[in-house]
Every structure is written in structure tokens, then in C-alpha cells.
């Protein structure tokens, strides 16, 4: 089985060493990264790639690469990262590759990851944040049912990002 998780249009698997160029293309794209600290340098992308690989090994999650089921193109990544030192809460995030914007693939990816979390873990909640002016991301989090909780410093330039929380459904 190539994908451990699928949605209507997307398949998710783990990054492998062979995917380095896909990850770099995504994270060094100034448009994709516009609200998330800007395009990464190749050194920063290398560091991020190593970190994602390590998280999968250590914790069993990462920002998983996602691919179109129809055609197999790399469409971005979506998944999980630690949130502070909590064992009950993880942070969810989504990056959609530029050619696939405006198709609501970010929403589809986030819904797939959220469903996977409720089914396969006992986490009590998920959190998510977005860049201060990322109104698209804000709208997405609202559609998903996240509620604003607080602002906190985020990322390479230490900007204040709003944070939101989604409780495990009863
Ligand atoms: C916006 C985003 C959340 C994608 O979700 P989505 O609403 O399903 O995706 P869509 O591709 O349909 O995009 C909606 C709009 O956001 C824009 N968009 C998509 N990715 C974007 C990005 N990285 N930066 C800026 N705008 C983006 C699209 O152009 C589209 O604009 P339009 O409605 O005027 O056509 C996502 O790509 C993004 O901003 N990610 C970074 C932040 C993040 O991880 N937030 C937490 C999400 S759980």
C-alpha cells in the first residue's frame, strides 16, 4: 500500500530521502511560504527535511507529503508537529503547492489528517496557527471548527501568530 491515508483526491505517505527535491521546491517557494516566514534558504529546507524525517522516526508523525490520486503529482504536505511539550495536544499544518491552490485541497488535507488523529491517537485536541495576515488560513480554520485561543511568537522572524484549538469530538 503506497499511501497510509487517502481522501477523495489526495494520498499521504512519509517523506523518503528520494523526496528531497519535492520538499525543497515546496519550502523554497516564496508564494507558498509567504505567510510562514518567507521562502526557506536551501540550508533551512535541508534542516526542515531532516527534522521531518526525525519526527516520523521518533514520534510517528510529520508533515506528510501528499499526492494527487489522479496523476500522482506532489501537491504539498499536511500533518503534525509537537506543540510545546504537550503530550495531549499536537499542532496541525498544511502547505499546498502553488499549481494546486484554489481547489480547497488544503481543507481536504486538513480534514483527512484530523480524522486520522481522532482514529489513531488519544489526543484531546489539535491546535493550529497562521501568519497574521493569512486570511485564507484563518477562514479554513473556522470552516474546520477551530476556536481562537491566543497569540504566540512563531517562526524564524518571531512574529505573533494567532492560535486556535479543535477539541476531540465527543
Ligand atoms: C490557505 C491554506 C490553508 C490552504 O487551504 P484551502 O483554503 O483549502 O486552500 P485553497 O487552495 O482552496 O486556497 C484558498 C485560498 O488561499 C490561497 N492560498 C493557498 N495557499 C496559500 C499560501 N500558502 N499562502 C497564501 N495564500 C494561499 C489560494 O490562492 C486561495 O485563494 P482564492 O480563494 O482567492 O482562490 C494553506 O495553503 C496555507 O495557507 N497554509 C499555511 C498556513 C497553515 O498551515 N495554516 C494551518 C492550516 S490547518
Amino acid at each position: 500500500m503506497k499511501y497510509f491515508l487517502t481522501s477523495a483526491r489526495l494520498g499521504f505517505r512519509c517523506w523518503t530521502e528520494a523526496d528531497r527535491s519535492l520538499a525543497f521546491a515546496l519550502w523554497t517557494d516564496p508564494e507558498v511560504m509567504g505567510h510562514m516566514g518567507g521562502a526557506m534558504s536551501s540550508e533551512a529546507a535541508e534542516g526542515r527535511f531532516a527534522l521531518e524525517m526525525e519526527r516520523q522516526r521518533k514520534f510517528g508523525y510529520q508533515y506528510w507529503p501528499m499526492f494527487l490520486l489522479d496523476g500522482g503529482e506532489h501537491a504539498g504536505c499536511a500533518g503534525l508537529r509537537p506543540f510545546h511539550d504537550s503530550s495531549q495536544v499536537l499542532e496541525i499544518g498544511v502547505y499546498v503547492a502553488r499549481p494546486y491552490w484554489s481547489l480547497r485541497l488544503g481543507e481536504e488535507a486538513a480534514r483527512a489528517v484530523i480524522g486520522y488523529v481522532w482514529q489513531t491517537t488519544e489526543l484531546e485536541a489539535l491546535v493550529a496557527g497562521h501568519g497574521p495576515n493569512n486570511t485564507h488560513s484563518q477562514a479554513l480554520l473556522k470552516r474546520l471548527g477551530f476556536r481562537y485561543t491566543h497569540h504566540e511568537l512563531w517562526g524564524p522572524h518571531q512574529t505573533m501568530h494567532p492560535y486556535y484549538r479543535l477539541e476531540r469530538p465527543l
Side-chain angles (χ1 to χ4, degrees), residues 1 8 21 23 28 31 41 60 63 65 71 92-93 99 104 106 111 113 115 124 148 150 167:
M1 175 74 171
S21 59
T28 62
E31 287 193 277
S41 64
Y63 273 29
I92 181 172
R104 289 282 165 98
R111 288 190 190 281
V113 170
E124 67 185 35
Y148 171 80
H150 67 287
E167 303 296 332

Side-chain angles (χ1 to χ4, degrees), residues 53-101:
M53 300 291 270
E54 189 194 345
R55 284 183 180 151
Q56 185 65 39
R57 262 194 316 273
K58 267 170 71 176
F59 306 130
Y61 58 76
Q62 62 183 183
Y63 273 29
W64 297 291
M66 59 199 199
F67 300 86
L68 296 184
L69 292 177
D70 183 8
E73 288 86 358
H74 179 228
C77 64
L80 304 165
R81 61 189 290 166
F83 183 64
H84 302 304
D85 55 359
S86 175
S87 60
Q88 286 305 309
V89 176
L90 293 177
E91 179 167 345
I92 181 172
V94 182
Y95 296 91
V96 178
R98 188 65 187 90
Y100 307 108
W101 283 13

